[in-house]
């Protein structure tokens, strides 16, 4: 599988990365054996980049990912985790589970926002313990939407020091919006932005500011949420968008996308996976999977040929930004006359 370097760092990522939120019991329980098998399937497919966070399942994702990778040679894969939420013991009388935050795990811990320098160090130390690793390759500020000043003034300098000391190889920010990450690109020396849901086949918000900023500064962007919370997997009434039922205009746009891709013999999810890789600032696409079958399907879709005529039709129909770069298209197969 092809790899690219994150910004000016030495950290390399595969163009398809494994997001480990699912094996943190996102929305529903996943057995330990299935979680381990999903990571094994990703490895067998050539994926060597794995993303997790303390937030995912109150540390369950980190523990499971670390266990699944433990016997692999450490210099053969890249792991990213996140800082900004510390896990502390929950008070008595709290909720029995964590489903209010989307994870089917017991609520024995609770999250505390902390973008202080000390919080960064404590978070990484706890993540390393859960992962069973002596280092992570990438550390990302996780969702500092309401903590921008502290993240810029305290958390970022702490990450910069850790990078300078060689404790981490690359640093950045991971968010579901593009404006604040663009500010980080302008005001700091981060290597990478993990942008979730805002540069997809459905919407290209990131194209207005963030992606050009990253390209101009030689930084990298990893794209998550390429299916917009599942809408681009199976657009239908009741399908989710941003973790809520899709509004009618959004669903209608997704159905139009599916109609166009279908005319070219391309599954909608294949086009959704391939599209972001056309931008020169995009180093890779990150997708989650709970099972080996989901991993293998994702890999197949990412490798599915997408003809240039498909991108042309999407532009002509107003379904794709005119200035959105696209991957090189394969010639469309013609029916024999």
């Amino acid at each position: 599988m092809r790899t690219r370097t994150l910004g000016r760092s030495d950290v390399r990522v595969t163009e398809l990365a494994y997001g480990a939120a699912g094996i943190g019991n996102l929305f529903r329980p996943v057995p330990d054996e299935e979680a381990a098998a999903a990571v094994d399937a990703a490895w067998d497919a050539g994926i060597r980049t794995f993303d997790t966070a303390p937030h995912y399942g109150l540390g369950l994702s980190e523990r499971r990912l670390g266990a699944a990778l433990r016997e692999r040679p450490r210099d053969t894969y890249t792991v990213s985790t996140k800082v900004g939420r510390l896990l502390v013991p929950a008070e008595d009388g709290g909720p029995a589970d964590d489903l209010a935050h989307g994870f089917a795990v017991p609520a024995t811990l609770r999250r505390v926002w902390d973008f202080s320098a000390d919080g960064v160090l404590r978070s990484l130390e706890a993540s390393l313990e859960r992962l069973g690793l002596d280092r992570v390759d990438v550390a990302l500020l996780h969702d500092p939407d309401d903590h921008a000043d502290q993240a810029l003034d305290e958390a970022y300098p702490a990450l910069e020091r850790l990078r300078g000391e060689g404790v981490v190889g690359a640093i950045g920010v991971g968010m579901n919006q593009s404006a604040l990450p663009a500010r980080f690109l302008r005001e700091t020396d981060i290597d990478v932005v993990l942008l979730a849901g805002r540069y997809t086949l459905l919407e290209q918000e990131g194209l207005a500011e963030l992606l050009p900023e990253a390209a101009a500064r030689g930084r990298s962007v990893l794209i998550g949420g390429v299916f917009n919370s599942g809408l681009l997997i199976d657009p239908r009434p009741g399908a989710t968008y941003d973790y809520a039922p899709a509004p009618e205009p959004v669903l209608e746009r997704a159905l139009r996308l599916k109609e166009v891709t279908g005319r070219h013999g391309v599954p909608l999810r294949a086009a959704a996976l391939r599209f972001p890789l056309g931008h020169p600032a995009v180093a890779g696409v990150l997708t989650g999977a709970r099972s080996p079958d989901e991993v293998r399907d994702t890999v197949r879709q990412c490798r599915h040929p997408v003809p240039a005529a498909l991108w042309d039709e999407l532009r002509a129909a107003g379904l794709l930004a005119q200035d959105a770069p696209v991957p090189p298209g394969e010639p469309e197969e013609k029916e024999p006359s």
Side-chain angles (χ1 to χ4, degrees):
M1 188 173 291
R2 287 179 293 186
T3 64
R4 301 183 191 183
T5 302
L6 294 181
R8 296 188 296 271
S9 76
D10 294 326
V11 176
R12 297 194 68 80
V13 295
T14 45
E15 68 177 3
L16 186 60
Y18 179 84
I23 62 171
N25 286 6
L26 180 63
F27 303 134
R28 65 174 177 82
V30 176
D32 288 340
E33 302 78 15
E34 187 169 352
V39 177
D40 288 344
W43 187 276
D44 292 343
I47 294 172
R48 294 293 183 271
T49 303
F50 302 86
D51 176 76
T52 184
H55 172 56
Y56 303 155
L58 295 172
L60 178 62
S61 171
E62 289 183 317
R63 292 195 298 273
R64 282 177 161 174
L65 180 62
L69 294 174
R70 196 147 298 150
E71 302 305 317
R72 319 282 187 185
R74 182 61 188 90
D75 61 352
T76 61
Y77 60 87
T78 296
V79 171
S80 67
T81 194
K82 306 181 183 75
V83 300
R85 292 174 174 93
L86 294 177
L87 303 181
V88 302
E91 298 97 343
D92 294 337
D97 60 49
D98 192 51
L99 283 172
H101 294 95
F103 295 93
V105 296
T108 55
L109 300 169
R110 63 185 179 89
R111 301 165 182 83
V112 176
W113 289 104
D114 193 335
F115 286 96
S116 68
D118 180 66
V120 167
L121 298 178
R122 291 167 58 198
S123 181
L124 279 178
E125 183 179 6
S127 288
L128 290 174
E129 183 176 347
R130 287 187 291 266
L131 285 161
L133 298 175
D134 61 0
R135 62 180 170 87
V136 293
D137 304 283
V138 185
L140 301 170
L141 301 170
H142 199 187
D143 295 334
D145 303 67
D146 299 324
H147 310 270
D149 290 341
Q150 188 182 34
L152 282 160
D153 296 341
E154 301 179 40
Y156 165 73
L159 286 183
E160 188 177 47
R161 286 192 295 272
L162 292 172
R163 182 181 59 185
E165 295 165 0
V167 177
V168 297
I171 59 175
V173 59
M175 302 187 71
N176 296 290
Q177 56 143 304
S178 61
L180 185 54
R183 181 181 171 190
F184 271 89
L185 286 170
R186 289 191 299 270
E187 299 182 16
T188 74
D189 189 32
I190 59 172
D191 302 291
V192 59
V193 170
L194 172 54
L195 179 66
R198 304 285 82 87
Y199 189 62
T200 71
L201 199 60
L202 186 68
E203 56 181 288
Q204 292 96 54
E205 173 190 308
L207 196 61
E209 181 181 15
L210 189 149
L211 285 159
E213 195 78 48
R217 295 176 181 272
R219 317 291 173 78
S220 296
V221 180
L222 295 172
I223 300 297
V226 292
F227 300 129
N228 288 105
S229 304
L231 181 60
L232 295 187
I233 294 176
D234 182 18
R236 54 180 171 72
T240 55
Y241 165 79
D242 278 357
Y243 306 104
E248 189 62 33
V250 176
L251 174 59
E252 180 183 342
R253 185 178 182 88
L255 288 169
R256 291 176 64 201
L257 288 167
K258 183 178 180 180
E259 182 181 349
V260 173
T261 62
R263 278 200 291 273
H264 294 268
V266 177
L268 177 58
R269 60 192 189 282
L273 279 163
R274 292 286 299 279
F275 164 68
L277 294 170
H279 198 286
V282 173
V285 168
L286 187 151
T287 63
R290 295 180 178 87
S291 70
D293 286 345
E294 288 183 4
V295 172
R296 287 189 281 266
D297 177 72
T298 298
V299 173
R300 281 195 301 270
Q301 300 307 321
C302 196
R303 293 172 176 167
H304 196 290
V306 179
L310 185 153
W311 308 122
D312 293 340
E313 184 173 348
L314 289 176
R315 283 202 181 98
L319 293 170
L320 188 63
Q322 293 297 316
D323 57 344
V326 296
E330 291 83 0
E332 193 153 17
E333 294 186 5
K334 303 289 187 181
E335 291 290 334
S337 55

